[in-house]
Amino acid sequence: MMNVNDLIKKFEKPTDSNQLFYQAMEEVVLSIAPLLDSDDRYKKNAILERLVVPDRVIKFKVEWFDDNQNIQVNTGYRIQFNNALGPYKGGLRFHPTVNEGVLKFLAFEQIFKNSLTGLPIGGGKGGSDFDPKGKSDFEVMKFCSAFMTELHKYIGPRVDVPAGDIGVGAREIGYLFGEYKKITSKYDGILTGKPFMFGGSLMRPEATGYGLIYFTETMLELENKEPLTGKICTVSGSGNVALHAIEKLYHLGAIPVTCSDSKGTIYHKEGVDLDLLKDMKFNRRVSLEEYLEVHPEATYIPAEDYPADGHAVWDIPCYGAFPCATQNELTGMDAQNLIANGVEVVAEGANMPCTTKATNDFLNHKICFGPAKAANAGGVAVSEFEMAQNASMGKWSFEKVDQKLKTTMQQIAKRVVLTAKDYGVEGNYVDGANIAGFKRVADAMIAEGI
Ligand code: GLU
């Protein structure tokens, strides 16, 4: 049986393709060392060795016709990582940076995130290097149909239930669902994040962003810090997670002053205009630069005007910082800027948006830090609520879903805090989340045998 350091060494010299997986794996493995020391069942059952290898990696070709009748070829993936706790569950990402390594890291993170929710869902992730940006609706539909032609063989309501992620929203889920139905003649809840009219849950679009803020509120309360009301907050990203986090910040009376996309950052001192942002990003799918046409008093900072190892959003003084764009977007330099400007709380809306250096800086400076696995679990939690509604052919009210989401996020925060305390790392939400998430999966794996 290998010890923790041997296991990390086995993965040493991370290559470009497995660097992200290595980063995620190393963090988990280092966090759970006290648990492995306190209970030898995990070593005896070789849980770590078994947990870092996916159950299966499915890779397939996706061929489709673009609007000029040219044939396009992309690669599709589904990584079914671990189903000890329930059917594989996790999103699909459509983005040109997608490859097996990116999805392996995301699927790995998803195992622990899903475990932390306390709900019966395993971990998986999938997607494609297809870029929906700049494609016509018809092209997106063609691609989604071709993608599902392969994917349908591997999914099912009790097998694997994909959802959205970057580049996959209600439009893509709708086309994917339609194709599944056509191929199989089954009206099954094989995807979550469906539009409400055909089986989606109310509040699924809001869930990750709202959940992030519910989690943060609980974390602040548990740490005896001031709530977000009246506080300046910075948010990165301008997708589903970012805009709904901004919405919930406004509900609480906070002042979200930033958002960003791949081309630049908006800084609006009085608070960003959420209705305008929703129209720009959800309806018109345009660049943030256009924000200035309506609000010339705001500032737009093009990404190329800022040093490559930093991000303009994190240079703005704030009480709470919410990275909601993508992995490793918040660097060591960004963390230093935030700390120097007096940040009190950082919570991750995207998956692993803080680099290892940034995370350690926050922890060393005793900043209240909510790691993604715990802080952004609201999305997948409401996905599980959607599965429950589909299974019972029922529909829950907005209030019911919202209340259940809030309770789930509060429970996650409390579970993380108690676990950190139990294992001698009080106040460290990273270790707390990793240990609590790992323990539930590992105990199920032991009970289920080889
Ligand atoms: N992609 C989201 C996540 O990272 C949601 C997954 C889901 O709803 O299955 O958790």
Side-chain angles (χ1 to χ4, degrees):
M1 168 66 216
M2 259 183 268
N3 68 29
V4 165
N5 287 329
D6 289 341
L7 191 89
I8 292 176
K9 263 193 219 126
K10 207 177 129 190
F11 287 89
E12 223 154 31
K13 296 194 192 70
T15 58
D16 279 358
S17 65
N18 74 11
Q19 194 275 330
L20 289 167
F21 174 68
Y22 182 89
Q23 182 183 336
M25 183 273 297
E26 187 182 41
E27 185 198 281
V28 171
V29 172
L30 290 174
S31 284
I32 60 171
L35 176 68
L36 301 191
D37 289 343
S38 72
D39 188 340
D40 66 354
R41 288 180 314 134
Y42 301 117
K43 285 186 182 167
K44 263 196 204 137
N45 286 278
I47 293 298
L48 261 185
E49 287 91 328
R50 292 163 59 199
L51 202 48
V52 294
V53 182
D55 290 349
R56 65 194 64 78
V57 175
I58 300 154
K59 182 173 176 182
F60 49 89
K61 183 170 67 166
V62 187
E63 299 171 323
W64 54 284
F65 275 108
D66 68 17
D67 286 347
N68 300 318
Q69 300 309 314
N70 292 320
I71 294 174
Q72 299 289 339
V73 185
N74 288 97
T75 307
Y77 304 88
R78 186 71 185 166
I79 300 194
Q80 297 179 333
F81 217 123
N82 185 292
N83 65 354
L85 292 174
Y88 303 106
K89 183 83 198 83
L92 296 170
R93 179 176 291 192
F94 291 169
H95 193 270
T97 56
V98 163
N99 57 39
E100 196 177 313
V102 171
L103 295 176
K104 199 172 156 196
F105 125 68
L106 289 165
F108 182 72
E109 290 284 287
Q110 199 83 40
I111 303 171
F112 306 99
K113 180 195 312 197
N114 294 2
S115 164
L116 274 174
T117 63
L119 299 165
I121 39 181
K125 202 88 183 191
S128 173
D129 55 0
F130 170 75
D131 188 359
K133 239 186 233 166
K135 303 288 191 302
S136 69
D137 254 8
F138 193 70
E139 287 174 325
V140 171
M141 185 168 84
K142 284 291 209 192
F143 174 81
C144 288
S145 301
F147 185 86
M148 188 50 90
T149 306
E150 275 301 315
L151 185 70
H152 86 274
K153 299 169 193 168
Y154 311 105
I155 61 175
R158 293 283 186 274
V159 181
D160 182 356
V161 185
D165 195 81
I166 294 174
V168 179
R171 173 181 64 166
E172 289 75 16
I173 293 290
Y175 294 147
L176 289 163
F177 181 78
E179 187 63 26
Y180 181 89
K181 191 160 57 72
K182 202 184 305 161
I183 299 171
T184 63
S185 299
K186 287 183 186 155
Y187 208 102
D188 272 343
I190 40 86
L191 293 157
T192 59
K194 297 183 292 294
F196 180 70
M197 62 191 149
F198 52 88
S201 176
L202 285 175
M203 263 208 78
R204 177 61 190 87
E206 293 87 351
T208 314
Y210 281 21
L212 172 70
I213 306 304
Y214 291 151
F215 178 88
T216 307
E217 276 193 299
T218 311
M219 181 164 69
L220 288 168
E221 211 176 294
L222 292 168
E223 299 299 311
N224 292 316
K225 295 217 174 193
E226 285 178 38
L228 294 165
T229 313
K231 304 288 191 207
I232 304 285
C233 293
T234 52
V235 178
S236 64
S238 49
N240 190 42
V241 182
L243 296 191
H244 289 111
I246 289 174
E247 186 161 88
K248 188 47 77 181
L249 285 169
Y250 273 129
H251 290 173
L252 295 181
I255 310 155
V257 295
T258 62
C259 63
S260 64
D261 63 15
S262 57
K263 298 202 187 89
T265 295
I266 287 291
Y267 171 41
H268 196 164
K269 218 165 73 223
E270 289 71 37
V272 292
D273 180 342
L274 184 59
D275 289 340
L276 174 63
L277 287 170
K278 279 188 174 175
D279 179 49
M280 287 172 64
K281 288 296 177 184
F282 296 158
N283 302 332
R284 293 189 285 128
R285 299 173 195 265
V286 295
S287 155
L288 280 179
E289 208 171 348
E290 285 190 25
Y291 188 91
L292 296 189
E293 289 172 14
V294 180
H295 290 289
E297 75 282 15
T299 309
Y300 178 73
I301 309 147
E304 67 263 21
D305 288 4
Y306 204 80
D309 56 345
H311 196 294
V313 171
W314 313 124
D315 218 351
I316 289 153
C318 62
Y319 179 78
F322 300 94
C324 297
T326 194
Q327 64 266 7
N328 286 338
E329 56 160 306
L330 196 159
T331 64
M333 174 179 137
D334 295 325
Q336 289 305 324
N337 284 339
L338 281 164
I339 293 165
N341 285 328
V343 72
E344 291 280 346
V345 58
V346 180
E348 298 185 311
N351 287 311
M352 204 170 75
C354 296
T355 62
T356 305
K357 168 89 176 62
T359 302
N360 290 335
D361 284 350
F362 292 134
L363 293 176
N364 292 336
H365 281 83
K366 303 273 177 249
I367 308 295
C368 222
F369 180 76
K373 284 183 196 87
N376 79 22
V380 78
V382 174
S383 274
E384 196 275 347
F385 302 165
E386 185 170 329
M387 289 164 73
Q389 291 171 76
N390 291 167
S392 64
M393 304 288 276
K395 284 278 187 202
W396 300 354
S397 68
F398 193 95
E399 291 70 29
K400 175 169 175 173
V401 181
D402 193 30
Q403 193 45 53
K404 281 178 75 78
L405 170 66
K406 201 181 245 176
T407 309
T408 304
M409 299 315 292
Q410 289 167 343
Q411 282 169 346
I412 294 174
K414 286 178 193 154
R415 193 171 297 144
V416 169
V417 169
L418 286 180
T419 308
K421 211 174 188 175
D422 283 352
Y423 289 88
V425 282
E426 200 167 343
N428 185 327
Y429 284 64
V430 174
D431 289 345
N434 285 329
I435 297 171
F438 173 87
K439 200 171 175 313
R440 198 166 162 250
V441 183
D443 290 348
M445 285 172 73
I446 294 171
E448 289 169 17
I450 292 281

